[in-house]
Amino acid sequence: MSAAEGYPGLAAAESPTLDELDARLVLCRACPRLVAWREESARVKRPAFQDRDYWARPVPGFGPRDASLVVTGLAPAAHGANRTGRMFTGDRAGDLLYATLYDLGLASQAASTRPDDGLELYGVRVTAPVHCAPPANRPTPGERDTCRPWLAQELRLLRPTMRSVVALGAFGWQAALSALEEAGWIAPRPRPVFGHGARTTLTATDGTGPAITLFGCYHVSQRNVFTGRLTPTMVRDVLAAAAHYAGLPVGGNGTGPGLPG
C-alpha cells in the first residue's frame, strides 16, 4: 500500500492487532522530509557507531500488548532509536526513562542499547506521536498530524487494558490528547494545559469504556536534565503515580509487578 493508497490513515485503521499495526508502520514513507533525514542519518553515522547497521525506518511502539500504562513523547533520535529500532533506546533520554522504569520494577533492566539485549517491560508500552527521527528533533505540525493515525490506532487497540498515559513534554501532551480523542475518548473543555505533574481524565466516547488518566511530565531529554529542569526524582514521581492509576504495583530492583524478587 503506497501513501496514495492510504498510508498511514487507512493502513493504521486496517490493522486489527498491534503486531499488524507495527508491521505496516515500519513500511511508512508518508513524510518525505523525515524519510530523507532518517536515511541520511544512517549513512552519515556518528563515529562511535560506524560499525553498526542502523534501523533507519519508522520505530514501532515497544512493550506488551496488554499494557495498562503508555508512555509517549518525542521522538526517535537520529542516532538513538533510529539506530536501534526500539523506542527511546540508545540515547540519554532513554537512559533516564528505562532506569526509572527499572527502579519502579516496571522494566527488567536499567539500561538498554541494543534491541537484542533482553529488555522487557512489565505492564508498560513506550511509543511516540511521530515515529521517525526528525531534523533538529522538531517535526512539523503537518508531520505530527500525518503520523497521528498510528498512535490513535495503537491506543485504540490497547483500550481493553490501558488506564493511564504519560505524555513527555508539551508536544507529547497535545499529540496524546488529539490521538486519545481520535481513538474514542473525550477530553475536558477547555482543553487541559500541559505542565509537569499535570493530570486530566478523559472519558470514553461511548460512555461505557474505561476512563483514561493523562499525566504530564517534562521530556526526559538530555537538555532538560543537564539544565536541572527535570530530575530523576521528578520523573519517578510522575511514573509512579501513573502506574498507581494503571493498577500496576511498583516495587524496585527491576523485579517487575507481581514477580518474585
Side-chain angles (χ1 to χ4, degrees), residues 86-223:
R86 190 166 63 189
M87 196 62 72
F88 278 95
T89 56
D91 62 13
R92 292 292 181 87
D95 290 346
L96 174 57
L97 177 61
Y98 287 112
T100 307
L101 290 173
Y102 172 79
D103 183 53
L104 292 170
L106 301 175
S108 63
Q109 56 197 55
S112 175
T113 57
R114 306 184 323 275
D116 60 350
D117 60 13
L119 174 67
E120 292 183 68
L121 298 182
Y122 307 125
V124 180
R125 187 169 174 92
V126 181
T127 187
V130 176
H131 286 269
C132 291
N137 294 320
R138 292 182 180 178
T140 67
E143 290 162 349
R144 174 202 61 200
D145 294 346
T146 297
C147 206
R148 183 182 300 137
W150 298 120
L151 179 59
Q153 182 67 357
E154 187 173 16
L155 297 175
R156 192 177 290 116
L157 291 171
L158 288 166
R159 177 172 175 152
T161 57
M162 183 178 67
R163 297 296 179 268
S164 63
V165 176
V166 173
L168 303 175
F171 187 101
W173 175 271
Q174 295 299 333
L177 282 171
S178 296
L180 283 164
E181 288 180 315
E182 187 173 319
W185 284 273
I186 303 171
R189 293 291 185 269
R191 201 174 179 87
V193 177
F194 171 76
H196 183 82
R199 67 181 66 175
T200 189
T201 299
L202 291 81
T203 56
T205 304
D206 61 13
T208 61
I212 297 297
T213 303
L214 175 65
F215 293 79
C217 178
Y218 289 144
H219 197 284
V220 289
S221 67
Q222 187 174 3
R223 178 179 180 181

Side-chain angles (χ1 to χ4, degrees), residues 4-30:
E5 294 170 326
Y7 256 85
L10 187 58
E14 292 183 346
S15 301
T17 67
L18 285 173
D19 285 346
E20 291 177 77
L21 183 76
D22 291 346
R24 288 173 170 162
L25 182 150
V26 301
L27 301 176
C28 187
R29 301 181 66 84

Side-chain angles (χ1 to χ4, degrees), residues 224-259:
N224 279 345
V225 174
F226 280 2
T227 61
R229 179 180 177 87
L230 183 69
T231 66
T233 298
M234 292 167 67
V235 179
R236 191 186 196 282
D237 288 347
V238 172
L239 287 174
H244 172 74
Y245 270 74
L248 294 173
V250 294
N253 302 317
T255 55
L259 299 180

